[in-house]
Amino acid sequence: MKVYLTLLAVAALMAYAATPAMRHLAFRAGAVTAVRDRDVHKLPTARLGGIAMFLGLAAGIVIAPNVPFLAPVFENSGAVWGVLAGAAIVCALGMADDIWDLDWMAKLAGQVLAALVMAWGGVQLVTVPIAGLTIGSSYLSLAATVIVVVVAMNAVNFVDGLDGLAAGMVAIGGAAFLTYTYVLARSASPGDYSSLASLILAVLVGACIGFLPHNLHPARIFMGDSGSMVLGLTIAGAAIVVTGQIDPTVVSERERIPAFIPIVLPLMVVAVPLIDMTLAVVRRLLKGQSPFMPDAHHLHHVLLRAGHSHRWAVGVLYVWTAVLSFGTVSLVFLPWEQSLVLVGTGVIAACLVTFSPALRRRLSRGWRSAGDHARPLQRITPEGHHRNDDSADHRDDHHPTDTADASPARASAGTKERP
């Protein structure tokens, strides 16, 4: 585990250090989200944070071949390079969309291309860990891979509507998934428990953690499509890889329940985004609108209208992601009866956090304090400045050059709606 934690730290440091440069680049390139009636941010805000996240992801993967423990991962297949190539494609696609606002057909074509490149690199859905089910047709396998990857990318993109929401949710769910893949590798291959899925998830979680200090409310930068699509593709790639790591002849009888987790756990990691995306598509189709038409009725908008503060709404969705993902992973460590009790307790706690105004008022002060303690991480960056009053929840300070670049004419160029 020390190796994976080291790579996680490398990815986090790279993403953290690269984000300020991407913020300045975004203002100069016109990749700025202007303020509209349906938005929750108060000032034009830079996008392109996803490029920094991709750089963190790439840094961890590039260093990994030099670690003897992970040598089998790179000797047995080139799948890790397939994931990195697919991430590079969607990062470039998202960057173009953040600057020039591409139409949905161009974006969908780019997403399919990235999924195909990843499949060509060896990350392809061939088996499903249910009674040894194998997808017999190579065409069906390829189609299933593309569908899974494209849905995951768009699900993360749909939920990226509040500061720190998408990055935090993927970090939480990815940490749960990393725990499972590590335990699975140790159980299935006692002699060699290096794991491609664990490597991918470690650098993914690291990239999210490194980006979060810049993205917590009030965000100095958004990840944009260049980030949300990279996160979705990477988490889908890890899920697909895991399905090929289960050997029923090796996994013991006690561990047959965890053998189903590669299907359930990825769904739990992106359960909130998937629910949000499904509801949005159904809602818009019933209104006779395009499913890609943005609106202000996502889950996070509902929480805000219910009286939750920005940070508290993000925290509520964090809690649900943690309950669903870590609750599923608990099946690896606990008997199913105890696991159900744990999940039930977590669901009750999450419901209280979501629906109890009294509890929200009692805990909101501590939650605000936690957010305030993250600000020193922003201040030590080259762009960071101290905030001198308590109105930081309602405004953001910008570097003088950013203010010039974020003039109304500049901010309107390449403006894109956050879903």
Side-chain angles (χ1 to χ4, degrees), residues 23 35-36 56 59 71 73 102 113 126 130 162 166 193 204 216 218 234 248 267-268 307 316 337 356 382 386 412:
R23 182 172 183 265
V35 181
R36 297 142 303 174
V73 170
L102 304 178
L113 174 63
V126 178
I130 297 178
L162 294 180
Y193 48 87
L204 173 64
L216 291 174
T234 308
L267 293 176
M268 295 300 101
V316 166
E337 298 92 344
S356 172
H386 285 277
S412 63

Side-chain angles (χ1 to χ4, degrees), residues 47-78:
R47 295 192 293 269
L48 300 185
I51 301 177
M53 302 177 78
F54 170 76
L55 292 176
L57 197 78
I61 291 177
V62 169
I63 291 175
N66 300 309
V67 180
F69 170 75
L70 293 173
V73 170
F74 294 88
E75 292 172 357
N76 296 334
S77 81

